[in-house]
Amino acid sequence: MIEEGDRVLLIGPKREYYLRAGPGKFGSDAGEIELSDLIGKEPGDEIRTHLGKVFSIRVPRPPDLFTHGKRSGAPMLPKDIGMVIAYTGMNRRDRVLDAGTGSGVAAIYFGGIAASVDTYEIRPEFARLAEKNIADARLDNVRIHPEDFLSATGSYDIVHLDMMIQPEHVAHAHTLLVPGGFFATYTPFFEQTFAVIDAAAELFAGEVHCYECMERELTRSARGTRPSTRVAHSGFLTIARK
């Protein structure tokens, strides 16, 4: 059931809107809706504007938060986040440390799977934004730390870094991991990726693997179907195991 303050998606014939249930009105070319009327509704219920136009109600999931949440920069794409989850075997028993929170997209995906997520963001303005996005995701197992990753303590099953990574960050990640735990990094450039691989190779007993996930969406029109012309590269994922 939707409560006051919850985020919702209103799905219309051609557009969708990312709103918050509570006081106030929302207006579009389809008419106005009292946002308080969303309180008490269930996903799949319908709501009508004052013009009689019908919208279906959804509760946002991580892909919706990726699309509609406020951003502090370029977040990791779902395809890359999915590879981190797959190659580390992230599951409901895991304690995860994430650093370079940004707007919180990766932390939100991880929080829906892992037992707990501690996410570190050194820039205060990014940390504040991420905290709001994580609250909108209704995740009480994700805790944001507005601190340098090098100040992190504890014991983790997975450490994930999406930031400017230096050898000392790789070394610190190694100290935080339990035996058998996974280290994962996302880096957009070859030079930083090579630096991570070299630093990890000196510390981690297991093999260090690096992957690039290329994604091409198909576009279909009256003229025909072809791969999208959007750039397929986003970044490199390096995975090591302690």
Side-chain angles (χ1 to χ4, degrees):
M1 181 180 294
I2 295 168
E3 300 177 357
E4 182 171 350
D6 285 351
R7 285 288 190 180
V8 299
L9 280 175
L10 294 188
I11 310 298
K14 296 182 179 179
R15 293 189 65 182
E16 62 183 40
Y17 299 96
Y18 183 60
L19 305 172
R20 193 183 300 278
K25 293 182 179 181
F26 168 72
S28 70
D29 56 1
E32 290 187 346
I33 289 172
E34 294 284 348
L35 295 175
S36 59
D37 290 345
L38 294 167
I39 299 171
K41 297 284 190 181
E42 299 280 355
D45 286 351
E46 294 182 342
I47 190 167
R48 292 180 180 271
T49 71
H50 80 288
L51 298 178
K53 303 295 185 181
V54 178
F55 285 87
S56 177
I57 299 171
R58 285 184 190 164
V59 172
R61 293 172 62 87
D64 304 310
L65 296 164
F66 173 83
T67 301
H68 296 287
K70 291 184 179 180
R71 298 182 181 180
S72 54
M76 283 181 71
L77 295 180
K79 69 181 180 69
D80 298 314
I81 296 170
M83 287 188 71
V84 172
I85 293 168
Y87 281 108
T88 63
M90 190 181 297
N91 62 71
R92 66 183 183 276
R93 297 182 297 274
D94 284 335
R95 297 157 295 171
V96 176
L97 187 146
D98 169 60
T101 312
S103 51
V105 171
I108 287 169
Y109 273 88
F110 297 159
I113 296 170
S116 65
V117 179
D118 286 304
T119 183
Y120 282 75
E121 174 54 66
I122 197 169
R123 291 161 292 191
E125 68 278 15
F126 286 10
R128 288 192 294 269
L129 174 59
E131 191 167 32
K132 292 178 181 177
N133 286 335
I134 290 165
D136 285 345
R138 301 175 68 179
L139 292 168
D140 57 9
N141 63 333
V142 180
R143 182 183 175 193
I144 186 161
H145 302 260
E147 304 171 36
D148 190 330
F149 163 66
L150 293 175
S151 70
T153 60
S155 180
Y156 295 91
D157 300 287
I158 297 166
V159 174
H160 168 258
L161 306 182
D162 173 14
M163 50 186 268
M164 291 298 294
I165 304 169
Q166 301 297 327
E168 58 265 30
H169 297 122
V170 179
H172 189 56
H174 186 268
T175 66
L176 295 171
L177 282 167
V178 300
F182 282 91
F183 174 58
T185 68
Y186 173 83
T187 47
F189 302 111
F190 280 113
E191 291 80 4
Q192 192 182 14
T193 303
F194 295 156
V196 170
I197 292 171
D198 292 344
E202 294 183 4
L203 292 166
F204 289 86
E207 293 184 8
V208 178
H209 298 275
C210 187
Y211 305 95
E212 179 186 26
C213 181
M214 306 291 281
E215 179 181 70
R216 293 197 306 173
E217 183 178 3
L218 290 181
T219 58
R220 185 167 174 79
S221 68
R223 297 176 59 194
T225 305
R226 57 171 290 163
S228 169
T229 56
R230 291 189 302 176
V231 176
H233 169 80
S234 51
F236 302 101
L237 296 170
T238 302
I239 307 288
R241 193 172 191 183
K242 186 172 180 178

